Amino acid sequence: MQVSSQGVTVVALLADPDTPTEIAQRMARTLSARLADKSGQGRRFDVEVVSEPFTAGAEDPPTLMRQIMDRGSAENWDIVVALTDLPLHAHGRRLAVNLNHEHGLALLSLPSLGGLRLQTRARRAVEEAVLDISGPSTTGAEGPSRGQPLPGPSGKRLAPVHPGRTGEEETDDLRYVVGGPRGYLRVLAGMVRANRPWRLVPGLSKALAAALATGAVATVNSTVWSLAAFLSTPRLVIATVGSVAIMIGWLIIDAELWHRSAESSPEARQRARLYNASTVATVGIGVLVCYVGLMLINWVWALFILNDQVFASMTRTPLHAEEYVTLAWFVASVATVGGALGSGLESDEAIRAAAYSKREQERRRKLQNGRDD
């Protein structure tokens, strides 16, 4: 790693658009001072944020590291830390951080940090990576050794791996990986967070309109009253699970959200399973939010519109608080199925825009274009 003249180390945060750029911009406000405090010895750091889709057209770490290296060589940067919301794999392991000390490069996969406290975890990982690259490379009395575990999510440490120079494709000298079932769930949570599943609710306007209309009609239907009055809690739960599953399946199938890898390698299949799991989780969370919202709206609508005497005459059951809740619950299931049918009026692009981050939309668009070619 080279160091700029005048004792200032220039650190570039090269970030993919959308979430990575937002994280990098917030981080940059205090990163210079924090690095100077932690490094000691009167060192100074100058932090720049560059937002560009450096991962466009590539998902494998060696290619990305070469692209980062080429991008950094064209600028007056001492250290380049690249942030992406892509889940990365290296030799069957889920990659968190790639380091190249010789060229002053670091590649950070944000999903590996999990779905909670992402800003804090990303800042800590960037700080440790920069200090590791800019610090002494010797061991023992001359300084700390490289390759110590980096802070991971929930206070745990990320395991360091020295890949060695086994081939020309190796562009890093140190990797930090997350392993095991908990590591898989952590990466999955990070991918779901990057997709921002709460955006699915306003993104499916036609489906929501169909669901609200279905719920409004069902709430004043005497047959629905009778069914709701005699449905047991287990059957209501089954109705909820069934309606939510129908909605999730319909959205995934109709908008072609299921990922099919064109490659047959184990890593490609692993990525495909991870992408599909994140799709199901993202759409599932969005649909559950819609379901709860429908239930609350139907409950308020029932409080306003229902007459206890008419309800009792039709169902032979007095209209109490429990009946309001049961009716709203059952109607939410019926309305969700109506919303699934209404989602067919949405364009595939609208559903993808609601279900995925911008980076994931671009990735899938490039993949689809590649298949068409």
Side-chain angles (χ1 to χ4, degrees), residues 240-322:
T240 299
V241 173
S243 62
V244 168
I246 289 173
M247 183 70 160
I248 294 172
W250 183 271
L251 287 173
I252 292 176
I253 295 172
D254 185 57
E256 299 180 353
L257 302 182
W258 197 254
H259 177 81
R260 293 179 177 85
S261 177
E263 305 175 19
S264 58
S265 65
E267 287 193 8
R269 291 195 295 269
Q270 188 179 32
R271 283 198 301 267
R273 288 194 294 268
L274 194 58
Y275 280 126
N276 289 329
S278 70
T279 295
V280 173
T282 299
V283 176
I285 292 174
V287 171
L288 284 174
V289 172
C290 291
Y291 187 94
V292 173
L294 287 171
M295 186 173 176
L296 291 174
I297 292 173
N298 292 329
W299 178 71
V300 173
W301 174 239
L303 287 175
F304 175 75
I305 202 70
L306 293 186
N307 180 278
D308 54 349
Q309 294 180 351
V310 175
F311 184 90
S313 65
M314 298 298 297
T315 64
R316 298 182 180 179
T317 303
L319 187 59
H320 299 311
E322 182 180 353

Side-chain angles (χ1 to χ4, degrees), residues 95-178:
L95 184 66
V97 183
N98 246 13
L99 295 179
N100 185 314
H101 292 82
E102 179 182 357
H103 297 280
L105 307 177
L107 173 61
L108 172 61
S109 175
L110 293 176
S112 66
L113 303 180
L116 300 175
R117 298 173 53 236
L118 182 59
Q119 183 69 43
T120 300
R121 292 172 177 175
R123 189 201 68 222
R124 291 178 62 197
V126 169
E127 289 175 0
E128 294 291 339
V130 172
L131 293 174
D132 188 11
I133 292 174
S134 62
S137 59
T138 56
T139 60
E142 299 180 12
S145 61
R146 287 172 175 167
Q148 297 301 316
L150 286 179
S154 304
K156 294 180 172 55
R157 315 295 285 185
L158 300 176
V161 176
H162 293 271
R165 295 296 176 180
T166 58
E168 292 183 358
E169 69 171 7
E170 300 294 356
T171 55
D172 53 0
D173 51 35
L174 183 62
R175 298 176 186 144
Y176 291 90
V177 298
V178 290

